[in-house]
Amino acid sequence: MFPVGGVGVMLFLVAVSGLVCALLAWGLKPRLGWLTAGSIAGFVWCVAVLATITLIPANGAPGVVAAEGRLTTCSWDIGGPAPEGFWIFAGGQRMLNTLVFVPAGALLVLAVARWRAAWVLVPLGFAALVGLSIGIEATQLALARIDRACDVTDVIDNATGAAIGVGIGVVLALALQPWRRR
């Protein structure tokens, strides 16, 4: 049986990871300045929140999933049950899957924008965010006990959110110019 779960556990973990990341930002601020320190800590917090909301059972500890009831592959039904179409976000789960990755993409850009290697670090970071989404879905498939389903549409929606976030981050970086604070 999976020992933890539920919205209360998720909120507790989000709060604790937020406090840890606030301490991280406070510790990095003297060396990197508030913008970069806050962006690094915010990015780390986003990753912690993503792991929490996707890998903790939403409805409490679900118990044991019988081997014959466990899915053996991810759903490849691109677009899933949303009748409005593949790239039209109808709200609900698909919109949420997109929106939760937007802050991580934006903070990624702001976290690395002050360094000359940002033009390499941003694409690598974006690839890592897509890899995180793939890893989450693979974990959901492998650990049937967490009562989550592996779906390729989630990866596509998460990658779309990360890409939107990177675009927002580029605009913010151009406006805030963190490289002037080297």
Side-chain angles (χ1 to χ4, degrees), residues 32-168:
L32 299 176
W34 69 269
L35 180 62
T36 301
S39 298
I40 290 170
F43 177 76
V44 171
W45 187 55
C46 283
V47 171
V49 168
L50 289 170
T52 298
I53 66 174
T54 57
L55 297 176
I56 298 293
N59 298 318
V64 176
V65 176
E68 53 275 353
R70 179 181 176 270
L71 295 175
T72 57
T73 64
C74 284
S75 169
W76 286 86
D77 180 16
I78 305 293
E84 289 80 11
F86 179 51
W87 284 107
I88 301 170
F89 297 109
Q93 187 68 31
R94 294 205 56 211
M95 180 64 83
L96 182 61
N97 283 337
T98 302
L99 291 177
V100 296
F101 270 75
V102 171
L107 289 167
L108 162 72
V109 175
L110 291 174
V112 301
R114 81 182 274 140
W115 291 289
R116 287 177 184 38
W119 65 276
V120 173
L121 295 173
V122 170
L124 287 175
F126 174 74
L129 285 173
V130 173
L132 173 65
S133 179
I134 292 168
I136 287 168
E137 295 303 316
T139 302
Q140 290 176 346
L141 177 64
L143 300 178
R145 292 182 186 189
I146 64 173
D147 199 28
R148 299 293 184 120
C150 178
D151 189 351
V152 172
T153 303
D154 291 353
V155 174
I156 294 167
D157 292 342
N158 295 160
T160 301
I164 291 168
V166 166
I168 291 169

